[in-house]
Structures are given as structure tokens and as C-alpha cells.
Amino acid sequence: MELSEIREKINVVDEQLLTLFLQRMRLSEAVGAYKNENHLPIPNKQREREILAKVAEKAGSQERYAYHLFSTLF
């Protein structure tokens, strides 16, 4: 595969990542609004730990990077 083809594939993935990121941010805002309305604490460390454990399990050799990405999202 040529470098230009690889880069084009990366561009497609980047567009998908951005779309999913924006969707996740909207959903996170909805969770925050719900928690505010119902007087619930915003952070949920237990849920974060569960998600990070699942990410680490699924990421294989890229675990370190996936963990960092999801930690940043939180």
C-alpha cells in the first residue's frame, strides 16, 4: 500500500473519531445535566475504573495509549 493510501485511510478514521467524540461529548453533557437535576455527584470513579479496565483488556499492545485516551476523555 502506498503512503498516500495509508494517509487517506487515516483521514477517514480521523473523521470518524471526531464524529464519535462529538457524540460522546453531547451524551456526557446530558449525563451531567441529569446528575445536576437529581443532585447526584458528577464524578463516578467506580464507573471510570470499570471502563479503563475494559479498555486495557481490549487494547492489547496499545493499552498504554488507549488508557491515556480514555483517561483524557473523562
Side-chain angles (χ1 to χ4, degrees), residues 31-48:
V31 167
Y34 178 90
K35 287 182 172 187
N36 273 332
E37 291 170 11
N38 292 280
H39 309 289
L40 298 170
I42 298 296
N44 185 338
K45 294 298 181 184
Q46 176 62 33
R47 177 158 166 74
E48 290 178 16

Side-chain angles (χ1 to χ4, degrees), residues 9-73:
K9 289 179 183 277
I10 288 173
N11 290 343
V12 170
V13 170
D14 286 348
E15 287 293 322
Q16 294 170 339
L17 283 171
L18 179 58
T19 298
L20 291 171
F21 170 74
L22 294 173
Q23 181 180 357
R24 190 184 199 291
M25 293 305 292
R26 286 189 296 274
L27 292 168
S28 295
E29 288 173 354
V31 167
Y34 178 90
K35 287 182 172 187
N36 273 332
E37 291 170 11
N38 292 280
H39 309 289
L40 298 170
I42 298 296
N44 185 338
K45 294 298 181 184
Q46 176 62 33
R47 177 158 166 74
E48 290 178 16
R49 282 191 295 273
E50 290 168 2
I51 292 169
L52 290 172
K54 192 182 301 184
V55 164
E57 179 183 320
K58 291 182 175 185
S61 65
Q62 301 299 316
E63 174 186 349
R64 176 174 54 157
Y65 305 109
Y67 186 94
H68 182 72
L69 171 63
F70 278 80
S71 295
T72 301
L73 286 174

